[in-house]
Amino acid sequence: MSDTTSHDSIDFDRYDRIRPIRWTGDALELLDQRKLPFTVEYVTCTDSDAVAAAIHALTVRGAPAIGIAAAWGVVLAARTVDADDGTQAATRLAPAMQRLNDARPTAVNLAWALARMRRVLAASGADWREVITREADAIASEDLAANRRMGALGAALIAPGSGVLTHCNTGSLATAGFGTALGVIRAGVAQGRIDKVYAGETRPWLQGARLTAWELQQDGIAPTLVADAAAAHLMSTGAVQWVVVGADRICANGDTANKIGTYQLAIAARHHGVKFMVAAPSSTVDMDTASGDLIHIEERDPGELFAVGGVRTAAAEIDAWNPVFDVTPHALIDAIVTERGVIERPDGAAMRAAFGG
Ligand code: MRU
């Protein structure tokens, strides 16, 4: 694993203005991503079931962001529980934590954040409420620091003057701030390495068209939107040198689950000699899952495919299949970038060397 770059040339605050999750001290405010880009509105959650419902409904979305939201959900659940110490609290909080965990199945960050909350609870005494509040705060601030670090590491792989294609939304909206793949792109633009950013629209939920395009505009970066179906043709023109995507779960052999459509981008990239980068914090690495075929791929309501912006576009009375993630085999990935460093040509041995297990 290599780590040879520095943060020095990036003005992070200039490129990091959006916060999707705000803890007020007694409530959780979530920027409602169902309404962006036309309405910028926070919803307020005052109990953990509201947080679980918001995660399920994609009010808050993106692997790191749902982990952070779930951690704050535990803090909200704690208000309904009396306990003398952390062990007792853990038992009483277990049903609420299970409901948070069940809100979405694919991104490991959700289970990872809840496991972290469970661990500190088990080790705490009468001060367990303060301990879990500090932990939720730490999960969020560590994510922001990880994103800034991996932004610099990933950008260093990209040659000046490059074009990049990204998929879904992996920016501030999907994290505590700055973003994973979009953090790499922000850092690459800041350093003059990236001249042109293409964003795939990401059917059916349009995370690319609605969220990534809007986020980049806030930074003064003008993205070019492409239909998902245009990606292979775009690569054939020579306009992009890297595909840069995020991840929802990276397995012990490097296989990576990410937004549906990522796998076909990786296949097209390999065919066209375009490099393929996955950027994700180490909280997305799941060394307990051996390979991608073991990942639970979320399937959502087929109705998401029938309409755009509430207007029906599909023929009446048809069936649809709506898996919302896919798995890119590790052999198609040129680099996995985490805050711990860069893994080139990831496989089981390289992953074990980086993450143990
Ligand atoms: O269904 P979503 O919008 O939660 O899916 C999000 C993605 O697939 C992202 O690429 C991934 O979570 C990484 S976000 C930093």
Side-chain angles (χ1 to χ4, degrees):
M1 191 152 66
S2 57
D3 177 359
T4 53
T5 193
S6 83
H7 288 48
D8 295 349
S9 53
I10 304 163
D11 175 1
F12 286 107
D13 294 331
R14 146 116 175 62
Y15 289 101
D16 190 12
R17 296 156 189 250
I18 300 160
R19 289 290 175 269
I21 301 171
R22 301 193 302 217
W23 175 248
T24 66
D26 54 9
L28 188 65
E29 294 179 341
L30 300 172
L31 179 54
D32 192 341
Q33 302 196 29
R34 299 165 305 175
K35 296 190 174 164
L36 287 170
F38 303 112
T39 305
V40 180
E41 185 178 293
Y42 283 81
V43 298
T44 302
C45 300
T46 53
D47 62 64
S48 69
D49 283 344
V51 177
I55 292 170
H56 181 73
L58 310 188
T59 308
V60 60
R61 42 136 311 273
I66 64 176
I68 295 162
W72 286 119
V74 177
V75 176
L76 288 174
R79 295 198 185 159
T80 62
V81 159
D82 270 333
D84 296 333
D85 58 28
T87 310
Q88 203 175 64
T91 307
R92 295 182 180 167
L93 288 170
M97 290 175 81
Q98 190 62 47
R99 290 193 292 276
L100 286 163
N101 186 73
D102 294 345
R104 291 192 82 186
T106 303
V108 72
N109 308 61
L110 185 55
W112 170 88
L114 292 167
R116 224 175 119 160
M117 297 298 274
R118 235 176 260 116
R119 252 192 326 271
V120 296
L121 265 176
S124 63
D127 62 343
W128 63 273
R129 285 177 205 281
E130 293 76 49
V131 169
I132 59 171
T133 305
R134 274 200 303 275
E135 193 67 6
D137 197 44
I139 287 172
S141 50
E142 286 169 26
D143 185 64
L144 179 58
N147 291 338
R148 291 179 170 198
R149 179 79 195 131
M150 83 181 80
L153 290 169
L157 301 176
I158 298 173
S162 292
V164 300
L165 170 64
T166 190
H167 191 56
C168 195
N169 172 268
T170 60
S172 302
L173 289 169
T175 63
F178 199 62
T180 59
L182 216 57
V184 169
I185 290 171
R186 288 185 154 120
V189 170
Q191 294 177 332
R193 294 171 181 277
I194 296 176
D195 282 354
K196 187 91 184 150
V197 182
Y198 293 90
E201 62 178 348
T202 319
R203 283 278 292 143
W205 215 69
L206 299 174
Q207 286 94 332
R210 295 191 305 108
L211 307 179
T212 298
W214 179 77
E215 245 202 85
L216 289 174
Q217 282 175 332
Q218 313 302 303
D219 291 353
I221 298 170
T224 298
L225 188 65
V226 291
D228 299 321
H233 177 61
L234 174 71
M235 292 180 206
S236 78
T237 68
V240 296
Q241 283 64 52
W242 281 90
V243 174
V244 187
V245 296
D248 289 84
R249 192 181 293 250
I250 301 173
C251 299
N253 69 347
D255 290 354
T256 294
N258 191 49
K259 180 52 55 191
I260 191 78
T262 303
Y263 177 28
Q264 66 197 21
L265 293 181
I267 293 169
R270 185 56 57 90
H271 180 76
H272 290 100
V274 170
K275 298 278 194 184
F276 190 89
M277 183 193 306
V278 172
S282 55
S283 55
T284 306
V285 173
D286 175 10
M287 294 300 284
D288 293 332
T289 298
S291 56
D293 51 325
L294 300 170
I295 297 175
H296 179 170
I297 298 293
E298 179 181 5
E299 293 183 16
R300 292 184 69 87
D301 182 353
E304 290 183 352
L305 288 170
F306 296 153
V308 178
V311 177
R312 184 153 183 127
T313 51
E317 292 171 24
I318 53 160
D319 196 8
W321 180 50
N322 187 21
V324 299
F325 297 99
D326 59 24
V327 174
T328 299
H330 62 90
L332 294 176
I333 299 171
D334 292 292
I336 291 178
V337 180
T338 75
E339 76 281 10
R340 299 198 196 166
V342 176
I343 303 171
E344 294 189 66
R345 291 174 298 283
D347 60 12
M351 291 293 292
R352 271 193 305 282
F355 298 104

